[in-house]
Coordinates of all heavy atoms in Angstrom, one line a residue:
Q17 N -108.3 -78.4 -64.9 CA -109.3 -79.2 -64.1 C -108.7 -79.5 -62.7 O -109.4 -79.4 -61.7 CB -109.7 -80.5 -64.8 CG -110.6 -80.3 -66.0 CD -110.8 -81.6 -66.8 OE1 -110.0 -82.5 -66.8 NE2 -112.0 -81.6 -67.4
S18 N -107.5 -79.9 -62.6 CA -106.8 -80.2 -61.4 C -106.8 -79.0 -60.5 O -107.0 -79.0 -59.3 CB -105.4 -80.7 -61.6 OG -104.7 -80.9 -60.4
A19 N -106.4 -77.8 -61.0 CA -106.4 -76.6 -60.3 C -107.7 -76.2 -59.7 O -107.9 -75.7 -58.6 CB -105.8 -75.4 -61.1
L20 N -108.8 -76.4 -60.5 CA -110.1 -75.9 -60.1 C -110.8 -77.0 -59.2 O -111.8 -76.7 -58.6 CB -111.0 -75.6 -61.4 CG -110.5 -74.4 -62.2 CD1 -111.4 -74.3 -63.4 CD2 -110.5 -73.2 -61.4
A21 N -110.3 -78.2 -59.2 CA -111.0 -79.2 -58.4 C -111.1 -78.8 -56.9 O -112.0 -79.2 -56.2 CB -110.2 -80.5 -58.5
N22 N -110.1 -78.1 -56.4 CA -110.1 -77.7 -55.0 C -110.4 -76.2 -54.8 O -110.1 -75.6 -53.8 CB -108.7 -78.0 -54.4 CG -108.5 -79.5 -54.4 OD1 -109.3 -80.3 -54.1 ND2 -107.2 -79.9 -54.7
W23 N -111.0 -75.6 -55.8 CA -111.4 -74.2 -55.8 C -112.4 -74.0 -54.7 O -113.5 -74.6 -54.7 CB -111.9 -73.8 -57.1 CG -112.0 -72.3 -57.3 CD1 -113.2 -71.6 -57.1 CD2 -111.0 -71.3 -57.6 NE1 -112.9 -70.2 -57.3 CE2 -111.6 -70.1 -57.6 CE3 -109.7 -71.5 -57.8 CZ2 -110.9 -68.9 -57.9 CZ3 -108.9 -70.3 -58.1 CH2 -109.6 -69.1 -58.1
K24 N -112.1 -73.1 -53.7 CA -113.0 -72.9 -52.6 C -113.7 -71.5 -52.6 O -114.5 -71.2 -51.8 CB -112.2 -73.1 -51.3 CG -111.8 -74.5 -51.1 CD -111.0 -74.7 -49.8 CE -110.6 -76.1 -49.5 NZ -110.0 -76.8 -50.5
E25 N -113.4 -70.7 -53.6 CA -114.0 -69.4 -53.7 C -115.4 -69.5 -54.3 O -115.7 -70.5 -55.0 CB -113.1 -68.5 -54.7 CG -111.7 -68.3 -54.3 CD -111.5 -67.6 -53.0 OE1 -112.3 -66.6 -52.8 OE2 -110.7 -67.9 -52.2
E26 N -116.2 -68.6 -53.9 CA -117.6 -68.6 -54.4 C -117.7 -68.3 -55.9 O -118.5 -68.8 -56.6 CB -118.4 -67.5 -53.6 CG -119.9 -67.6 -53.9 CD -120.7 -66.6 -53.0 OE1 -120.4 -66.7 -51.8 OE2 -121.5 -65.9 -53.6
C27 N -116.9 -67.4 -56.4 CA -116.9 -66.9 -57.8 C -115.5 -67.2 -58.4 O -114.5 -67.2 -57.8 CB -117.2 -65.5 -57.9 SG -118.8 -65.0 -57.4
L28 N -115.6 -67.4 -59.7 CA -114.4 -67.5 -60.5 C -114.3 -66.3 -61.5 O -115.2 -66.1 -62.3 CB -114.4 -68.8 -61.3 CG -113.2 -69.0 -62.2 CD1 -111.9 -69.2 -61.4 CD2 -113.4 -70.2 -63.1
Y29 N -113.4 -65.4 -61.3 CA -113.3 -64.2 -62.1 C -112.3 -64.4 -63.3 O -111.2 -64.9 -63.0 CB -112.8 -63.0 -61.3 CG -113.8 -62.6 -60.2 CD1 -113.7 -63.1 -58.9 CD2 -114.9 -61.8 -60.5 CE1 -114.6 -62.7 -57.9 CE2 -115.8 -61.4 -59.6 CZ -115.6 -61.9 -58.3 OH -116.6 -61.5 -57.3
L30 N -112.7 -64.0 -64.5 CA -111.9 -64.1 -65.6 C -111.6 -62.7 -66.1 O -112.4 -61.8 -66.1 CB -112.6 -64.9 -66.7 CG -112.9 -66.4 -66.4 CD1 -113.7 -67.0 -67.6 CD2 -111.6 -67.2 -66.1
S31 N -110.4 -62.6 -66.7 CA -110.0 -61.3 -67.2 C -109.4 -61.5 -68.6 O -108.6 -62.4 -68.8 CB -108.9 -60.6 -66.3 OG -108.4 -59.5 -66.9
D32 N -109.9 -60.7 -69.6 CA -109.3 -60.8 -70.9 C -108.6 -59.5 -71.2 O -109.0 -58.4 -70.7 CB -110.3 -61.1 -72.0 CG -111.3 -60.0 -72.2 OD1 -111.6 -59.3 -71.2 OD2 -111.8 -59.8 -73.3
Y33 N -107.4 -59.5 -71.8 CA -106.7 -58.3 -72.1 C -105.9 -58.5 -73.3 O -105.5 -59.6 -73.7 CB -105.9 -57.8 -70.9 CG -105.1 -58.9 -70.2 CD1 -103.7 -59.1 -70.4 CD2 -105.7 -59.7 -69.3 CE1 -103.0 -60.0 -69.8 CE2 -104.9 -60.7 -68.6 CZ -103.6 -60.8 -68.8 OH -102.9 -61.8 -68.2
T34 N -105.5 -57.4 -74.0 CA -104.8 -57.5 -75.2 C -103.6 -56.5 -75.1 O -103.6 -55.5 -74.4 CB -105.7 -57.1 -76.4 OG1 -106.1 -55.7 -76.2 CG2 -106.9 -58.0 -76.6
S35 N -102.6 -56.8 -75.9 CA -101.4 -56.0 -76.1 C -101.1 -56.0 -77.6 O -101.2 -57.0 -78.3 CB -100.2 -56.5 -75.3 OG -100.5 -56.6 -74.0
T36 N -100.7 -54.8 -78.1 CA -100.3 -54.8 -79.5 C -98.8 -54.6 -79.6 O -98.2 -54.0 -78.7 CB -101.0 -53.6 -80.2 OG1 -100.7 -52.4 -79.6 CG2 -102.5 -53.8 -80.4
Y37 N -98.2 -55.2 -80.6 CA -96.8 -55.1 -80.8 C -96.4 -54.7 -82.2 O -96.9 -55.3 -83.2 CB -96.1 -56.5 -80.6 CG -96.3 -56.9 -79.1 CD1 -97.3 -57.8 -78.7 CD2 -95.4 -56.4 -78.1 CE1 -97.5 -58.1 -77.4 CE2 -95.6 -56.8 -76.8 CZ -96.6 -57.7 -76.4 OH -96.8 -58.0 -75.1
W38 N -95.7 -53.7 -82.4 CA -95.2 -53.1 -83.6 C -96.3 -52.8 -84.6 O -96.1 -52.8 -85.8 CB -94.2 -54.1 -84.3 CG -93.1 -54.5 -83.4 CD1 -92.1 -53.8 -83.0 CD2 -93.0 -55.8 -82.7 NE1 -91.3 -54.5 -82.1 CE2 -91.8 -55.7 -81.9 CE3 -93.7 -57.0 -82.8 CZ2 -91.4 -56.8 -81.2 CZ3 -93.2 -58.0 -82.0 CH2 -92.1 -57.9 -81.2
E39 N -97.5 -52.5 -84.0 CA -98.7 -52.2 -84.8 C -98.9 -53.2 -85.9 O -99.5 -53.0 -86.9 CB -98.5 -50.8 -85.5 CG -98.5 -49.7 -84.5 CD -98.4 -48.3 -85.2 OE1 -98.5 -48.2 -86.4 OE2 -98.3 -47.3 -84.4
E40 N -98.5 -54.5 -85.6 CA -98.7 -55.5 -86.5 C -99.4 -56.8 -85.9 O -100.1 -57.5 -86.5 CB -97.4 -55.9 -87.1 CG -97.5 -57.0 -88.2 CD -96.1 -57.2 -88.9 OE1 -95.2 -56.5 -88.6 OE2 -96.1 -58.1 -89.8
Y41 N -99.1 -57.0 -84.6 CA -99.6 -58.2 -83.9 C -100.4 -57.8 -82.7 O -100.1 -56.8 -82.1 CB -98.4 -59.1 -83.5 CG -97.6 -59.6 -84.7 CD1 -96.4 -59.0 -85.0 CD2 -98.1 -60.7 -85.5 CE1 -95.7 -59.5 -86.1 CE2 -97.4 -61.1 -86.6 CZ -96.2 -60.5 -86.9 OH -95.4 -60.9 -87.9
C42 N -101.3 -58.7 -82.3 CA -102.1 -58.5 -81.1 C -102.0 -59.7 -80.3 O -102.3 -60.8 -80.8 CB -103.5 -58.2 -81.5 SG -104.6 -57.8 -80.1
L43 N -101.6 -59.6 -79.0 CA -101.6 -60.7 -78.1 C -102.9 -60.6 -77.3 O -103.1 -59.7 -76.6 CB -100.4 -60.6 -77.2 CG -100.2 -61.7 -76.1 CD1 -100.1 -63.1 -76.7 CD2 -99.0 -61.4 -75.2
V44 N -103.7 -61.7 -77.4 CA -105.0 -61.8 -76.6 C -104.8 -62.8 -75.5 O -104.4 -63.9 -75.8 CB -106.1 -62.2 -77.5 CG1 -107.4 -62.2 -76.8 CG2 -106.2 -61.2 -78.7

């Protein structure tokens, strides 16, 4: 909330991404 309070950009872009480790775990 503090970081976005002074947000001056018109849009807020979000990115989701994943990584797999040892074919057992997924980091999202």
